[in-house]
Amino acid sequence: MGLLAEVTRGQRVESQHFGRAVIVDASGKVVWSCGDYEASIYPRSTVKALLGLELVESGAAARLQLSDAELALTCASHNGEAEHAATAQRLLSRVGLDVGALECGTHWPTYEPAARQLAGAGEQACPLHNNCSGKHAGLICLSCDAGIATQGYIDPQHAIQKRVTQVLAEVTGAEHREDRRGTDGCSMPTYAIPLHSLAHGFARFGSGIGLSADRARAAQTLREAVAKQPFMVAGTGRYDTALMKEIGLGAFIKMGAEGVMVAALPDEGLGIAIKVDDGANRAAEVAMSALISRFGGDILRNKAAQSGILERTMCQSLRNWEGRDVGEIRAALNAGT
Amino acid sequence: MGLLAEVTRGQRVESQHFGRAVIVDASGKVVWSCGDYEASIYPRSTVKALLGLELVESGAAARLQLSDAELALTCASHNGEAEHAATAQRLLSRVGLDVGALECGTHWPTYEPAARQLAGAGEQACPLHNNCSGKHAGLICLSCDAGIATQGYIDPQHAIQKRVTQVLAEVTGAEHREDRRGTDGCSMPTYAIPLHSLAHGFARFGSGIGLSADRARAAQTLREAVAKQPFMVAGTGRYDTALMKEIGLGAFIKMGAEGVMVAALPDEGLGIAIKVDDGANRAAEVAMSALISRFGGDILRNKAAQSGILERTMCQSLRNWEGRDVGEIRAALNAGT
């Protein structure tokens, strides 16, 4: 367990976040680490892009003529803004279905202005606003394309779940065991795997090294779609969207619930995985920016420097309701391997 | 640093929260502890009731004929529900002022259904919805009653701030030093003090022991107001409200930002203070219920047992968007002194 981030107020540290982080190359070699990276963690939403690989690799995405925005949404934990919900609806329309096919459950948009906008218009939230609706719609598309009935697609025993879980296991190199299975917020299974396996999966996802030619191409298609449509992956005011908007194809970044975050640095052939032990995403963000700044190559850093996005996100001002600076949250990484 | 709480998913611990907790009697003796209780922490909103003492002790509350609901709101970090905003408005009306006097800043109600209700009615948030509006309105009342101009009442140098800070120092027995001052979310100062001093302050607040007769009576008045109007202190779905609704005068409980929580157990003469090092309030809640269950006397426990409130809150089910049980958050207190 290492120190990942500190939250200050006035001249004092008010809170601290500990956790683990690891950087792995495409061969699986650990390049840098902090804390126990062999222990298993639930990857939660960080693996959505890996779950999307089969949709592209199988040819389903091309047959269904999915747009970049639609592909990006299959990798998303989105804000539930109007464009996210509309894009999820379009994905379902590709296979002649609608919101009724989604088994993710309903919650109001996590982006509060979007929730208030919806309420202000006298509307109600529906499963399209669930932050996972794109991933679910993607699985439904894959299922329909394969001629498999979609009902119960969230069940670990459903044919489509078995297929994408197999891909997860291959790309991360980690067993996806039943006795390490939990249920995610959106009712899909999440399998605990070692943190370094998660990083390894994203080193492969970014570089294509160690993947079949078809899968490497599928990964590239997804990364390109997300780089073109970073808004779809998260939304207004969100970390992943903000970074990918500036860095483009230089980094693929994805957050997950309970303080998990991954990145792929394609040009460097590296994968990064972070787990904040207390589950706080705010700490994963500042730590990730510090690691990308340190391990990204010249091209990435030059690109990021234009907007100052990495500096701005590795040490973030905390402002109160009157807009006063009251402290900051900053990366505080311990020395690693 | 001790383990305070664990969050599980499936069969595994997904996240952990470490921190410090201490139980002190009215003489200042540490009865139980976990982690470093001498280190200073920002009490944040936990001390609102102590800030309210002067309003009662000075006679201002009686002269202004403040109701129980209004007094309870001066101790609140409320949800911004319609009743909270209306009560804050009534407090200001007592001294002939309105929302324009508040210097706490504006945020939308933290209780999302209330925010959506407001938006649905085509209204906007205002400082009355700020979770601290009751504390601010209370200070404005105190200031007006004393014939002091309210403008700038949030400034550490304002006469009314100096007065309530002096009370804080006396009740907690801790120096309130300028070099340990931070600014809170609502722009008021917050002074870092040792965790055991915070607990000591609430042992006195609950029992009256060690306070002047007038101050002890003021503390009792505030505790009674809160016990009668627990909704005003927080609101729908909130921990402090839920517990005090069941336990009544048996415990005074108050959360603060960044994982700080306090309780007074009047019948036992004990004060409890918790600081979760990573700032997560969810951990403070389960830990507090476990401590109240362990250190509360028979009367308190019998009262709590009727509704099962302590058991239900020290180990809380985590349900996903479809209402499935996916894990739990539970107290996991290390052995103490």
Side-chain angles (χ1 to χ4, degrees), chain B residues 1 3 20 28 37 43 50 52 68 75 91 125 148 157 164 185 205 219 230 234 243 269 298 303 312 324 326 335:
Chain B
M1 197 162 78
L3 183 63
R20 295 161 274 159
Y37 56 79
L50 306 186
D68 286 332
C75 308
L91 266 169
I148 300 168
Q157 303 312 325
V164 294
F205 178 78
L243 256 74
D298 288 345
K303 199 149 193 186
R312 212 163 60 233
R324 292 192 192 192
V326 293

Side-chain angles (χ1 to χ4, degrees), chain B residues 170-186:
Chain B
E170 289 167 9
V171 177
T172 60
E175 271 190 284
H176 278 54
R177 285 164 40 182
E178 205 172 317
D179 64 347
R180 290 187 183 166
R181 188 172 70 211
T183 303
D184 214 320
C186 66

Side-chain angles (χ1 to χ4, degrees), chain A residues 256-287:
Chain A
E258 290 294 326
V260 188
M261 191 171 278
V262 298
L265 305 184
D267 298 329
E268 294 74 29
L270 298 176
I272 308 177
I274 296 173
K275 162 68 183 169
V276 183
D277 284 336
D278 59 65
N281 291 332
R282 66 180 183 178
E285 291 182 7
V286 294

